[in-house]
Amino acid sequence: MIDKSSGVPAYRQVATAIRAKIDSGEYAPGTPIPSERVLVDQYGVSRPTIRDAIALLRQEGALIAEHGRGVFVRPRTTVVRLSRSRLSREARSANRGAFLGDATAGGFTPSTTMKVRFDPADERTAELLGIDAGEEVTVRDRVMRADGLAVMIAVSRLPRSVTRGTAIEVVDTGPGGAYARLEESGHRLDHFEEIVSARMPTPEEASILQPSSGVPVIRVTRVAYAADRAVEVNDMTMAGDRYELIYHIPAD
């Protein structure tokens, strides 16, 4: 029950009690917390107080809300993103490139939701791809999940002149993904460039990734080249509290 004489707001006392149960393992990672009605009875407070406590724990990153399902203890998933061989032809041909390779190494179950659309290239995209602004690009908009938890938003843009007539323009590109389809159509990839930065999430990104309060997102922009021509720009936005980026840099 709540100590009304303590001077500590009731919602903070409830949040502290729920946090203690998370830390002790009574509320295990990935499991739902009790319903508002149960918590009201348990702590002897109003529904608004319970909602404020849950909102605080969500801001801290201890809880996540899933639309239509309820509020859950955040799973303890950390994705280790290894640079070594993640984009190699061998890894891609074995269907273990990029995020799938991270899943194999990390032992988590990957899943992805995908939308494909066609947009005119903005100035930034046009500059990176070496095309004219307004030229049509194929956009592959994905949300990657590890054990059901959204950990990355990835938006790839490719010149429509490169993707037209290929499986890159449909949701399921087949084994090896979009890069395999690029190479089948004559665009043999020879190198990639990545730019890494960090910033605070937009409201839409925060809604999807639900990072802890005050935690920035990691932003990786990758440009794929075939014979020195840029054929893809991929903007990846990763939850900063659930990602580690490890780079293998040869000394010679």
Side-chain angles (χ1 to χ4, degrees), residues 81 194-198 218-222 238 245 247:
R81 184 181 187 270
E194 287 192 345
I195 302 168
V196 181
S197 60
I218 301 169
R219 179 82 163 182
V220 178
T221 296
R222 181 172 68 227
M238 309 169 189
L245 277 61
Y247 288 88

Side-chain angles (χ1 to χ4, degrees), residues 37-56:
R37 181 168 56 82
V38 170
L39 293 173
V40 164
D41 292 342
Q42 184 174 351
Y43 294 107
V45 295
S46 66
R47 281 182 182 266
T49 297
I50 294 298
R51 290 169 185 162
D52 287 345
I54 291 173
L56 176 61

Side-chain angles (χ1 to χ4, degrees), residues 117-139 156-164 169 187 229-233:
R117 64 180 188 272
F118 307 101
D119 289 343
D122 59 22
E123 293 286 349
R124 172 181 175 273
T125 300
E127 181 178 356
L128 290 171
L129 289 176
I131 61 177
D132 293 330
E135 184 174 327
E136 194 172 33
V137 292
T138 299
V139 183
S156 293
R157 295 176 175 86
L158 306 92
R160 189 82 195 275
S161 59
V162 169
T163 65
R164 189 174 281 106
E169 298 194 347
H187 302 283
R229 176 191 178 183
V231 292
E232 181 213 35
V233 174

Side-chain angles (χ1 to χ4, degrees), residues 153 196-203 205-206 209 211 214-220 235-240:
I153 302 165
V196 181
S197 60
R199 59 166 170 74
M200 297 310 294
T202 66
E205 291 165 349
L209 297 174
V215 173
V217 291
I218 301 169
R219 179 82 163 182
V220 178
D235 290 311
M236 293 162 278
T237 305
M238 309 169 189

Side-chain angles (χ1 to χ4, degrees), residues 1 25 30 34 81 87 134 153 213 216 239-240:
M1 299 295 287
R81 184 181 187 270
L87 298 174
I153 302 165
S213 179

